[in-house]
Amino acid sequence: MSQNDPQWGGDRNKKGGPPNLDEIFRNIINKINALLGNKIPQNNAPVNPSSGSGTTGVFVVLGALLALWLASGTYMVDEREDAVVTRFGKYVETVVNPGLHWHLPYPIESRELVNMTEIRSLDVGVRGDAGSNSEASLMLTSDQNIIQIQLEVQYTLNSAKDFLFDNRFIDNGRDVVKQTAESAIREVVGRNKVDYVLNEGRGKIAEDTKEIMQSLLNRYGTGMTIARVNISDVQPPEQVQAAFSDAVKARQDKSRLINEGTAYANDVIPKASGMAARLNEEAEGYREQVVARAEGDASRFKQIAAEYVKSPQVTRDRMYLDAMQSMYQNTTKVLVDQKAGGSLLYLPLDKLMQMNGAATVNADAAKPAATSSAPVAVNSETPANRVNRGERDGR
């Protein structure tokens, strides 16, 4: 059948032939007219695409499509996000101001929104985790010991452009951070001994690992910032855990014994120092006492010698009385002069002996100067008469 066949556009269409162009334009205009509120004139006659009304409807349709296409370039940037705009896949700019923005619609330009404030985290060396098995957590120390370390790494983004274009974008960048963490922790652990890693060096190792990771990420230009590195667990391999436990227990016993010895020394040394200081002070006081007493005796002797030169007899009597007083001060005997002819008085000897004994005890306890408690002598004669009497008796 040729194209001049009258059944080409009519009956042919009903029998499955090609569609009629007039019918296609009529259907399109009817649909747009329904959307625009019957602004396009209609008639039952076939619409000729070259006519004025048909041309207006096509322009309206094209204008609406153009407006929708231009509107597709509008996008919203949140306060937590940065927008990376690309033109035919090439970087154009990074939009950091929050609010409504616009770029040339697709396929000319496109944008990628990146959350910059989200704290991302991953675990390195966790047992049972796919890709982070026990072999990944095994590390060698500087003293040729093997330990297992588990890390928790938290990171944020500092450059949306670097994160999207200069990063191995696998699993939202986690693969790069994981490999960097494994490299950094192995380097730090390899510098230290196993005892330092297992005990007091965890904090320092975490800080050193963070610095090395940040240096590597900056060198690679990944646009990431390491916020925190936490060593969650450090253990020896399962095959030698019992031996390491014994070593740790021995270290704890050593620390305990050292602390006990230090406590004992802190208790004994101050006491010994105080006792030594007290003995030194007592010796110094005794020395000063002896020197002062000797100086006093010498001064008293000089004074007595000067008085003796002036009055020998009186001085001898006084010295005799002082000597007798000193001798009879602590005695329990009573001296009674019967030759003087004086009247004999009744004396309560038992009371006098008790009083003298009490005075002796008090003197030994307090060691006072012997100036009182003279011997009791019942005699009516004067000291001078007793001296003369003694000389007569041949003393």
Side-chain angles (χ1 to χ4, degrees):
M1 182 180 295
S2 64
Q3 294 181 356
N4 296 323
D5 191 349
Q7 295 181 357
W8 177 265
D11 297 338
R12 182 64 178 174
N13 188 23
K14 296 179 182 180
K15 297 180 181 180
N20 193 332
L21 294 179
D22 294 339
E23 187 69 22
I24 293 175
F25 280 105
R26 187 181 296 109
N27 293 334
I28 293 175
I29 293 174
N30 290 335
K31 292 180 180 180
I32 296 175
N33 191 21
L35 295 175
L36 299 178
N38 298 323
K39 294 182 179 180
I40 300 176
Q42 296 183 6
N43 50 32
N44 295 327
V47 179
N48 188 1
S50 62
S51 63
S53 60
T55 303
T56 303
V58 172
F59 284 137
V60 171
V61 173
L62 294 178
L65 294 177
L66 180 62
L68 293 176
W69 180 69
L70 294 176
S72 64
T74 304
Y75 63 98
M76 179 68 69
V77 178
D78 191 74
E79 294 180 355
R80 301 171 297 176
E81 298 175 339
D82 287 353
V84 178
V85 180
T86 58
R87 182 176 300 147
F88 298 111
K90 184 179 179 180
Y91 173 77
V92 177
E93 62 176 348
T94 300
V95 179
V96 298
N97 297 325
L100 188 63
H101 299 273
W102 180 84
H103 65 79
L104 294 177
Y106 183 84
I108 300 176
E109 291 184 351
S110 62
R111 83 273 182 180
E112 182 75 22
L113 298 178
V114 181
N115 192 333
M116 303 297 294
T117 61
E118 179 185 2
I119 298 179
R120 299 167 172 82
S121 63
L122 62 89
D123 296 327
V124 179
V126 178
R127 297 177 181 177
D129 187 10
S132 299
N133 51 22
S134 59
E135 294 182 357
S137 62
L138 292 177
M139 301 177 189
L140 188 66
T141 61
S142 61
D143 52 356
Q144 304 300 318
N145 285 295
I146 298 177
I147 58 174
Q148 289 181 339
I149 295 182
Q150 299 178 11
L151 293 179
E152 180 185 359
V153 181
Q154 297 180 355
Y155 63 98
T156 58
L157 304 182
N158 56 26
S159 174
K161 172 182 175 296
D162 296 340
F163 180 72
L164 294 178
F165 287 91
D166 299 336
N167 188 14
R168 184 184 177 189
F169 205 81
I170 299 178
D171 195 12
N172 199 18
R174 293 168 60 90
D175 185 67
V176 174
V177 178
K178 176 189 170 184
Q179 295 181 9
T180 305
E182 291 180 357
S183 176
I185 189 62
R186 290 180 187 278
E187 178 180 351
V188 176
V189 171
R191 299 175 183 172
N192 300 279
K193 296 183 178 180
V194 62
D195 293 337
Y196 181 78
V197 177
L198 288 173
N199 298 291
E200 69 273 11
R202 291 193 179 186
K204 184 65 170 57
I205 290 175
E207 291 296 328
D208 294 344
T209 302
K210 176 183 175 182
E211 293 179 1
I212 295 176
M213 289 184 62
Q214 189 62 57
S215 176
L216 292 175
L217 293 176
N218 293 338
R219 188 187 307 172
Y220 297 154
T222 58
M224 300 180 186
T225 300
I226 302 300
R228 181 182 179 186
V229 175
N230 182 29
I231 298 179
S232 57
D233 190 16
V234 179
Q235 292 182 0
E238 296 180 358
Q239 295 81 356
V240 294
Q241 280 188 1
F244 270 88
S245 299
D246 293 339
V248 171
K249 184 178 180 181
R251 252 189 322 267
Q252 292 176 352
D253 293 339
K254 176 184 176 181
S255 301
R256 178 177 58 81
L257 293 176
I258 291 176
N259 294 333
E260 290 178 357
T262 303
Y264 179 74
N266 293 335
D267 181 50
V268 173
I269 292 176
K271 291 182 179 179
S273 301
M275 184 178 295
R278 181 174 61 83
L279 292 177
N280 290 332
E281 294 295 331
E282 290 180 355
E284 185 68 20
Y286 178 73
R287 184 185 68 82
E288 294 179 357
Q289 179 183 0
V290 171
V291 172
R293 183 179 296 174
E295 292 177 353
D297 292 342
S299 176
R300 183 170 60 84
F301 179 79
K302 291 179 181 180
Q303 294 177 3
I304 292 175
E307 295 297 329
Y308 183 80
V309 174
K310 296 178 182 179
S311 302
Q313 184 63 35
V314 175
T315 304
R316 283 199 302 270
D317 294 342
R318 182 61 184 172
M319 293 176 65
Y320 174 77
L321 293 176
D322 292 340
M324 295 301 294
Q325 182 179 2
S326 176
M327 291 174 57
Y328 286 103
Q329 182 177 3
N330 297 325
T331 184
T332 58
K333 296 181 180 181
V334 178
L335 178 63
V336 178
D337 190 2
Q338 296 180 354
K339 297 181 181 181
S343 58
L344 182 62
L345 301 177
Y346 171 73
L347 297 175
L349 297 179
D350 54 348
K351 299 294 184 182
L352 292 175
M353 294 176 64
Q354 293 178 0
M355 293 175 61
N356 197 5
T360 302
V361 173
N362 294 332
D364 292 338
K367 295 182 181 180
T371 57
S372 61
S373 301
V376 179
V378 181
N379 194 353
S380 59
E381 59 182 356
T382 62
N385 294 331
R386 277 189 293 175
V387 172
N388 295 331
R389 184 172 55 81
E391 292 177 354
R392 288 194 304 269
D393 294 340
R395 292 183 177 180

